[in-house]
Amino acid sequence: MDFRDALNTVTAELTPQPWDYTTPDGATLTVIPAGLREDPGCAEVYLRVTRDKAHAAQAAITTTDLPALLTVLGEPVTSHWEHEPHYTDGTAKGRIGTWLGDDSGLALNPMADAFTLTAIEDTDTGTVAASVTLPEAQRLPLASALRRALDVARGWEG
């Protein structure tokens, strides 16, 4: 192996790899670690829901808050859950919309043998929400993808 091959291998291993799930109707959920240098507890993992070319929303969850989502996904989703952001010391910030006028967020809702994940994003043109329904069989693969993204995101914290 020459230097260029070794460099390309290391670069590929360090580059955040997204995880995708596409529903039969074409909606896609993508999990992406941000891959940006951040303070401890501040690196983000993005959950992007794309319904079609013109309708998508993305929620950002920090490494401080992602373990709460992983805990919820550890069991079948049986009740409404909504992301509540926290400071790195664990102190709750309160609903995002109450302190910045930002309605961005993430919510899970149970369904029969499935759950709905909704990403809400505050954009320049207004608030956009996009939902995807995942079968129960995709709950653990999603949790696994989020754990890997969390590990990558924590690797960018310094």
Side-chain angles (χ1 to χ4, degrees):
M1 177 182 300
D2 68 2
F3 177 76
R4 184 163 308 282
D5 289 339
L7 179 62
N8 289 339
T9 299
V10 170
T11 301
E13 289 174 357
L14 292 176
T15 303
Q17 300 297 313
W19 175 87
D20 289 315
Y21 173 75
T22 302
T23 64
D25 68 353
T28 302
L29 170 63
T30 306
V31 174
I32 311 162
L36 300 173
R37 186 69 53 201
E38 290 286 351
D39 291 331
C42 296
E44 295 176 324
V45 171
Y46 302 119
L47 288 96
R48 180 183 306 142
V49 177
T50 306
R51 296 295 310 167
D52 55 48
K53 290 181 181 180
H55 190 107
Q58 177 172 283
I61 310 290
T62 65
T63 56
T64 298
D65 293 333
L66 197 52
L69 176 57
L70 289 169
T71 297
V72 170
L73 292 172
E75 299 290 330
V77 178
T78 58
S79 62
H80 174 79
W81 179 86
E82 193 170 312
H83 168 236
E84 180 181 350
H86 292 81
Y87 294 104
T88 57
D89 67 0
T91 305
K93 291 181 180 178
R95 176 92 174 107
I96 293 176
T98 62
W99 63 277
L100 273 181
D102 184 358
D103 291 326
S104 297
L106 182 75
L108 301 177
N109 285 297
M111 298 179 68
D113 297 323
F115 63 97
T116 301
L117 184 146
T118 303
I120 305 160
E121 182 176 11
D122 192 28
T123 67
D124 293 339
T125 58
T127 301
V128 177
S131 296
V132 62
T133 300
L134 291 105
E136 174 60 25
Q138 288 300 314
R139 179 178 52 81
L140 292 179
L142 171 59
S144 178
L146 288 168
R147 274 190 216 88
R148 287 190 307 274
L150 176 61
D151 288 343
V152 171
R154 284 183 174 154
W156 286 97
E157 295 177 338

